[in-house]
Amino acid sequence: MSQQPFAGRAADLIAGHPPHEIASAEIWEQAAEDCVLARIKSMRLIGRLPHHKAPLGPEERIQRLKDLLRLWANGCTCAVDEDLVADIVNRQRR
């Protein structure tokens, strides 16, 4: 995945916060995306997830990551956000 500069997507989400909080947000986002990809790879999905979905904005991506991880933590282990997965996979291909 291509890395945006330090003032990239996480900085846009939390403008005005100290640099260590921005770095923490970027680290959290990367770890959350890695978790989603690992879980999706381990699921036995019938067919393939679509990759032709429109890219998500930074705020929407963060919210969808939080929502999906919350669902999994609360026992909904088969939940899949196709738009989120497509966005992560497509951004990693660049």
Side-chain angles (χ1 to χ4, degrees), residues 15-75:
H17 290 267
H20 69 277
E21 289 182 11
I22 295 170
S24 295
E26 289 176 342
I27 292 167
W28 180 89
E29 183 178 0
Q30 184 60 53
E33 288 181 0
D34 292 346
C35 178
V36 168
L37 289 178
R39 171 61 73 75
I40 293 300
K41 287 178 183 176
S42 73
M43 288 179 163
R44 295 179 184 196
L45 299 175
I46 298 172
R48 299 181 63 154
L49 292 172
H51 296 283
H52 62 280
K53 302 278 188 172
L56 300 175
E59 296 88 3
E60 185 176 7
R61 183 173 40 256
I62 295 290
Q63 188 58 52
R64 285 174 175 255
L65 282 166
K66 289 178 180 179
D67 292 344
L68 186 57
L69 293 175
R70 186 176 303 115
L71 283 171
W72 289 345
N74 289 321

Side-chain angles (χ1 to χ4, degrees), residues 1-5 9 29-30 33 37 51-58 61 83-94:
M1 182 173 103
S2 64
Q3 296 295 318
Q4 291 185 359
R9 59 181 186 254
E29 183 178 0
Q30 184 60 53
E33 288 181 0
L37 289 178
H51 296 283
H52 62 280
K53 302 278 188 172
L56 300 175
R61 183 173 40 256
D83 293 336
L84 176 63
V85 173
D87 180 75
I88 294 170
V89 170
N90 288 334
R91 283 185 305 103
Q92 285 193 350
R93 287 182 178 172
R94 293 182 214 160

